[in-house]
Amino acid sequence: MMKIDIKEADKKLGLAVPFQFLAKAEDIGATHDDYSFDGDIEVKGELVATGRGYRVSGQISCTKSFVCDRCLEQASQQQTHDFDEEYQKRGSGYSEDNQDVNYFDGDQVDISSMIRDVLLSDQPLNNICNADCRGLCLKCGANLNHGDCGCDRTVIDPRLAALQQLLIKK
């Protein structure tokens, strides 16, 4: 669990209280069928008492492992994700209908679910090993990142296919 004690921040408004956590993806529920996070997920940040609540901000660092959607090879990426969230203590006298604020009980803010949500929502829809990945040959299936396979991969515009047939007949 990633719990931050608010007692030190309550002593002085605006005082940044640093925190740091290491966690496994399984411990915070950051698992997915298409990729995994290897090793520790490192969370660094600070908690600031704002008078009305608490601002939690920082950065998540992790290593993502996946199979590339283009070339089908195993790949890994170093990732960093920023976060900045507002928290309010339940029963603190303020309205609890604000959807932009996270609510907590007691003297500790648990940021585990927020960290999980940031990690999973910041992932791209396609897992690509690098921006220059050439993928697989559509004819023979060779990985084009390792070199050209020699297949004729010319694509003829279907609207002009009838003209191509005229050239073949001559």
Side-chain angles (χ1 to χ4, degrees):
M1 296 300 249
M2 298 183 194
K3 293 186 178 183
I4 307 167
D5 197 345
I6 63 169
K7 291 176 190 169
E8 190 175 337
D10 283 341
K11 292 178 185 175
K12 186 174 179 185
L13 291 178
L15 173 71
V17 178
F19 62 84
Q20 182 174 352
F21 297 106
L22 291 176
K24 300 282 186 205
E26 299 79 30
D27 297 340
I28 60 172
T31 57
H32 197 275
D33 294 338
D34 295 339
Y35 54 85
S36 65
F37 297 105
D38 293 342
D40 288 329
I41 295 171
E42 183 179 16
V43 180
K44 290 182 180 180
E46 60 186 24
L47 171 88
V48 177
T50 62
R52 201 178 157 104
Y54 302 89
R55 177 168 293 282
V56 178
S57 59
Q59 194 171 62
I60 306 164
S61 301
C62 61
T63 303
K64 175 184 172 183
S65 290
F66 56 92
V67 174
C68 178
D69 290 341
R70 288 186 189 161
C71 67
L72 302 179
E73 298 228 349
Q74 189 67 33
S76 65
Q77 274 178 349
Q78 288 295 116
Q79 293 184 335
T80 56
H81 307 279
D82 296 324
F83 61 90
D84 189 6
E85 292 286 327
E86 286 286 331
Y87 285 85
Q88 264 183 14
K89 197 171 191 175
R90 286 194 202 284
S92 59
Y94 298 109
S95 171
E96 292 188 21
D97 59 354
N98 187 348
Q99 303 233 347
D100 295 332
V101 176
N102 302 294
Y103 298 97
F104 70 97
D105 296 311
D107 291 332
Q108 292 182 329
V109 175
D110 186 0
I111 62 170
S112 302
S113 60
M114 183 262 299
I115 298 299
R116 179 198 64 233
D117 293 347
V118 168
L119 270 176
L120 295 177
S121 66
D122 279 359
Q123 298 307 312
L125 293 176
N126 296 318
N127 295 314
I128 308 297
C129 60
N130 65 59
D132 298 330
C133 180
R134 295 179 60 206
L136 302 176
C137 173
L138 296 175
K139 292 200 175 197
C140 71
N143 187 337
L144 298 174
N145 295 318
H146 300 303
D148 195 22
C149 62
C151 292
D152 180 19
R153 292 186 299 277
T154 306
V155 178
I156 299 173
D157 186 339
R159 295 171 293 181
L160 302 175
L163 294 176
Q164 181 70 23
Q165 295 300 321
L166 290 173
L167 291 175
I168 293 172
K169 288 181 182 177
K170 287 186 178 183

